[in-house]
Amino acid sequence: MTNHVVIIGSINIDNTLHVARLPQPGETIAMTGFSQAPGGKGANQAVASARSGAATTFVGRVGDDNNGWLMIEKLKKEGIDVRHVVTSHTLPTGQAYILLQESGQNSIIIDHGANYQVMPEDVAAAAEPIKAASFVITECETPIPAAAAAFQQAKQAGVRTILNPAPANQRLTPELLTHTDIIVPNETESGALTGVPITDAASLQANAAYFRDRGVGIVIITLGEKGAYVATPDRAQLMPAFSVQAVDTTGAGDAFIGALASELQPNLSNLTSAVQYAQRASSLAVQGLGAIPSLPHRQAVLAAAQENE
């Protein structure tokens, strides 16, 4: 059965500045190139979900500008339901400015724009698709009150929730965590939120315990090239990553989350294989430039899995 995924999240235009390395304080360096692509954590996750075969609905906001119309058309072309994407007449479409190093690592500066106008009223207007969803996903590039409202609404309807607490600069409210079934931070975000930097197995366990003590059912901490740490009420395991040459890590976590939501059964019975599928999708995404342009389709993920068997 095809999953139905509803995403409450951000829509940005990504402006990528290609550099050999990050400049030091006071230093001026030249770009080696510039590229622009559709992005935003919410939009990335929605496209990743749709390309992996899930029926996908988006709840968010864009500005009344060329970037906004471009993003709506892009999401439509991916087969995503955009009836709950509202146009703001006071703020522009969000933008991200990405410093992409030759190593594939990136640093990102966000201009939230219309994304910060996503409110509980937008969530209430999307009550019908939320009630019919297999999973509801949100992240922290839109305001926490909207995320909390979405998860409360989902749990009242018996729908599973997935929280991507990125960027980790907003306080996760007890209400939001209580209604979170699965949380998926990367190691940096998790350490920032818990106050326990991840350096070893003990700190991984401490981070997972922090979230589980606050009502989260399953904790998945992504560790880049080291894999993903998965903690459930019954067990915890480190699942190794697939070894690839990363070109651009922008959107790697979004590729993971969108693919996970499309593959995971709502009863969570196939958690291990769904995480492996998500890892495979993420490993393919980092081998291309840009977030949305590099997100793989389901056929590519399955083909890559067959090649490595």
Side-chain angles (χ1 to χ4, degrees):
M1 187 179 75
T2 300
N3 279 356
H4 177 201
V5 176
V6 175
I7 295 172
I8 295 88
S10 59
I11 296 174
N12 292 329
I13 291 292
D14 288 347
N15 303 284
T16 301
L17 286 65
H18 300 257
V19 294
R21 56 172 177 80
L22 295 182
Q24 298 298 312
E27 180 185 21
T28 300
I29 65 172
M31 289 190 299
T32 57
F34 174 82
S35 57
Q36 194 174 61
K41 284 189 173 298
N44 296 344
Q45 290 164 15
V47 173
S49 166
R51 288 185 181 176
S52 274
T56 307
T57 298
F58 199 91
V59 180
R61 291 200 178 215
V62 294
D64 186 10
D65 49 38
N66 287 338
N67 285 341
W69 297 117
L70 183 154
M71 287 302 301
I72 288 175
E73 288 305 309
K74 174 62 180 172
L75 295 176
K76 281 183 181 178
K77 286 180 181 177
E78 296 288 344
I80 295 165
D81 182 350
V82 296
R83 287 175 293 175
H84 297 284
V85 177
V86 177
T87 298
S88 168
H89 297 285
T90 58
L91 287 175
T93 301
Q95 295 197 67
Y97 299 88
I98 302 166
L99 292 172
L100 175 62
Q101 302 176 67
E102 287 180 353
S103 65
Q105 292 299 311
N106 61 55
S107 302
I108 304 174
I109 302 168
I110 297 289
D111 175 13
H112 292 288
N115 291 314
Y116 258 31
Q117 287 187 331
V118 177
M119 295 295 161
E121 305 91 84
D122 300 315
V123 173
E128 187 176 337
I130 287 174
K131 288 177 183 176
S134 310
F135 292 96
V136 171
I137 302 173
T138 194
E139 29 70 23
C140 297
E141 283 187 343
T142 46
I144 293 295
F151 276 19
Q152 183 177 26
Q153 199 165 301
K155 297 315 295 177
Q156 287 173 347
V159 174
R160 296 283 188 181
T161 57
I162 301 175
L163 174 63
N164 174 213
N169 56 8
Q170 293 199 63
R171 190 177 72 86
L172 303 181
T173 62
E175 177 190 16
L176 179 61
L177 290 173
T178 298
H179 293 136
T180 298
D181 289 311
I182 304 172
I183 193 168
V184 191
N186 66 29
E187 57 188 316
T188 303
E189 293 154 356
S190 186
L193 291 165
T194 65
V196 181
I198 293 176
T199 56
D200 53 18
S203 55
L204 270 172
Q205 293 169 7
N207 272 255
Y210 175 94
F211 294 117
R212 290 192 40 75
D213 288 346
R214 285 157 178 77
V216 179
I218 294 172
V219 181
I220 303 175
I221 302 173
T222 58
L223 305 167
E225 62 186 16
K226 296 188 290 292
Y229 180 78
V230 183
T232 72
D234 303 319
R235 59 190 172 87
Q237 63 176 322
L238 178 62
M239 298 179 61
F242 298 104
S243 180
V244 298
Q245 182 63 48
V247 173
D248 181 2
T249 58
T250 307
D254 301 328
F256 181 97
I257 290 166
L260 178 72
S262 73
E263 186 71 9
L264 186 60
Q265 295 295 322
N267 64 8
L268 311 182
S269 60
N270 66 331
L271 179 63
T272 298
S273 63
V275 169
Q276 288 175 330
Y277 177 90
Q279 287 180 300
R280 183 81 64 186
S282 183
S283 74
L284 291 174
V286 301
Q287 295 179 65
L289 284 174
I292 286 178
S294 65
L295 294 171
H297 290 80
R298 182 173 183 79
Q299 299 94 315
V301 180
L302 296 179
Q306 281 188 331
E307 286 177 11
N308 288 340
E309 281 182 356

